[in-house]
Every structure is written in C-alpha cells, then in structure tokens.
Amino acid sequence: MAKRQASPAQHLLWRIEALGFDAINGLFRLLPVDWASAFGGWLLKTIGPLNSANRTAARNLELAFPEKDEAWRRRVLKAQWENVGRAFAEFPSMDRLRPETGRVELVNGERLQEIAANREPVVFISGHFSNWEVMPAAIMAAGVECLITYRATNNPYVDKRIREGRARYGVRLFAPKGESARELMEALREGESVALMNDQKFNAGLPLPFFGHIAYTAPGPTRMALKYDAVLQPMSVQRTKGARFRAVVHEPIRLEHSGDRAADIEAGVRKVNAFMEERIRERPEEWFWVHKRWPNEVYKAPTAPERPAADPVA
C-alpha cells in the first residue's frame, strides 16, 4: 500500500515543531554540558512527577520491586526523573560526550578493539540505561563498523535533525521498520556489526520472564546472531557524576546451536532478559521506567506473582 501523503497543513505544523526543536537544542548547546545536564535533571525532577507517565513509572517500580517499601520507591522514582532529564538535555551535545573527551570511562574496551581489528560481526545489545547514546558513541570511537537502530520520529524534519546530530559522532542509523531488517542482515553478511536496544515491550515478541512477570521481548537480535553465527555483545552505561559516564563492555552471550531453532532463540532471549534485569537491579534509578514494559493484564493485577529464579546470562 502506498504511503499516504501528508497535507500542506501537516507539513507546516511539522516545520513549526522543528523550529521549537531547534530552539531547545540550540539553547542546550550554548550551555556548558555540565550546566545543560544539571538543568535538564532539575527540570524533569520538578515537572516529571506531574506527568501522567509518573503513574506508569511508579507502577513499574512496584511490579519490579514488590519487596521494597514505598519510601524507597519514591526515592528511585525521583532519581529516575532526574536521570531522564539529564539524558535528554545531553543529547544535543553528544559529540562532546565521546570517550576521547575524557567524560566516558570505558571498561573492557579491549573487547571493542578486538571486534574492530578482527572485523568480527557481533550483535550489540543494550537497554535504556543512564544516557543510552553513550553506547553508540563508544562503539564508533573504537572504530567498529556498526549500524545502529532507532525508532524514527513522526516528524520528518525533526527526524532529519536527530540523524544529523548523531552523525556528528559517527552514528549511522536505521529505523526498526520496513527495509531496515534487510539492511541489518546485509551488514552482518558483510562483516559489520549491528546494535539494538532490547529492553522495551515488543507486542509480537516472546512472552518470557522479566522481574518475575511475563514480558513480550523482541527476538530479532537473538535471531540475527544465530543466523550469522555471531555472539550477542551486551553493553551498559552508568552515570558516574553529572555528565560523566562509565561504558561497560560485558562478556559476550554465546548462543546455543542445538538444532532446534525455536528453542535456541527462546534460550537467547531469556539470557537477554536476565542481563537487562541484572543491570537494572544494580542501578534502578538509571533505567527508563516511564514506558509500559509488561502487558496490560500485569498492570491490573493486585499483587505481584511469585518470582521465578533468574535465568543465567551466559
């Protein structure tokens, strides 16, 4: 089916939105990055709790940490709003937050150097930890040939600006719809790596445990890694202080090749969920809690189900 053409009025509205985007980005880029980060953190910490998304984040924390008291969850909720505000205020200046600026400590960076030197195709996976844009910045800085997926915005003028901003630190992007899957697979065939976020709800995904509740998780990264005999290469990002970070390259997740493809994909996705849960438990205030990770029926349940044992990640 042909894509429906937007009306002139819609294009006008998009252009007005893009001007607002430019104004906000320009303001944050004028500020020193530490000032921009601190202001963004203060702003979201102040107005975030007034947003309807605050209820989602609070319920997510209740579902994930039923053993914690209300005071603990309030502290984490407030801290996560500050982190989200900092991350969004830092995005316009991500070219100033690359490892070579001294603002990013890279842990196990030799693994990235190995991938780059050997032209080893891997499937990088991560989640919305701290400032998640630091991960692709670290991958690019190491010289790894890699395609990064992202979700395109509805406004094509804003989307163009986002792509241009990320290009300043070497990122090539493909939205996770339409033709991008073929482009990602072609990259793996050619010896390049790909990177995907694998921590959000995917309605057509596999229903597997996450914090003791069934969560639909995208099998795509695991499926691609199995198809091209690549490893899943997890990374995470931690905020150390202000607009300074630690990017951690974790041990690869090596997938099973039992001959039962469906079972091998499920085993891999289980390991992905376990990896994400471990990272979130370590630093819960730095995960993006404001999206609905679980199915609607989980949110409606009055009590949390008994928590199963965590799956191993390797």
Side-chain angles (χ1 to χ4, degrees), residues 52-254:
S52 61
N54 191 66
R55 291 194 295 272
T56 298
R59 180 58 172 150
N60 282 338
L61 282 166
E62 184 181 34
L63 290 167
F65 295 98
E67 73 282 5
K68 298 293 187 180
D69 61 30
E70 188 61 29
W72 181 90
R73 287 196 288 267
R74 281 198 302 269
R75 287 194 299 272
V76 171
L77 185 61
K78 185 176 181 179
Q80 77 89 36
W81 276 119
E82 180 178 1
N83 180 73
V84 170
R86 283 182 175 273
F88 280 104
E90 290 157 357
F91 287 164
S93 300
M94 277 305 304
D95 54 318
R96 303 170 189 169
L97 295 175
R98 294 172 294 176
E100 55 265 41
T101 66
R103 288 184 172 272
V104 180
E105 172 195 356
L106 191 57
V107 178
N108 197 21
E110 58 272 16
R111 171 61 180 148
L112 291 182
Q113 295 167 5
E114 177 185 87
I115 293 169
N118 297 338
R119 197 170 167 79
E120 174 191 351
V122 305
V123 178
F124 287 99
I125 58 164
S126 189
H128 290 78
F129 308 125
S130 182
N131 181 334
W132 47 93
E133 292 288 332
V134 170
M135 181 195 75
I139 293 171
M140 297 297 110
V144 177
E145 288 289 326
C146 185
L147 303 187
I148 311 291
T149 61
Y150 87 117
R151 185 170 297 281
T153 64
N154 292 331
N155 184 324
Y157 302 103
V158 170
D159 192 66
K160 181 175 181 290
R161 288 158 169 76
I162 291 172
R163 285 174 172 262
E164 290 171 348
R166 285 167 169 159
R168 285 199 293 265
Y169 53 99
V171 173
R172 288 182 290 158
L173 300 161
F174 294 91
K177 292 182 179 180
E179 301 298 315
S180 64
R182 284 195 288 273
E183 290 169 335
L184 293 172
M185 289 189 285
E186 179 64 26
L188 287 167
R189 277 196 297 270
E190 295 297 321
E192 296 185 5
S193 296
V194 300
L196 308 95
M197 293 295 183
N198 208 177
D199 63 333
Q200 291 193 311
K201 182 181 179 182
F202 183 67
N203 288 329
L206 297 182
L208 295 171
F210 184 65
F211 280 95
H213 308 276
I214 290 300
Y216 288 90
T217 308
T222 299
R223 185 179 291 126
M224 283 191 290
L226 282 167
K227 181 177 177 65
Y228 294 101
D229 197 22
V231 299
L232 291 174
Q233 179 57 66
M235 289 185 66
S236 64
V237 179
Q238 303 168 358
R239 188 178 296 277
T240 55
K241 183 180 181 181
R244 294 182 180 273
F245 304 91
R246 179 181 299 114
V248 183
V249 187
H250 297 268
E251 288 300 309
I253 296 176
R254 302 190 184 279

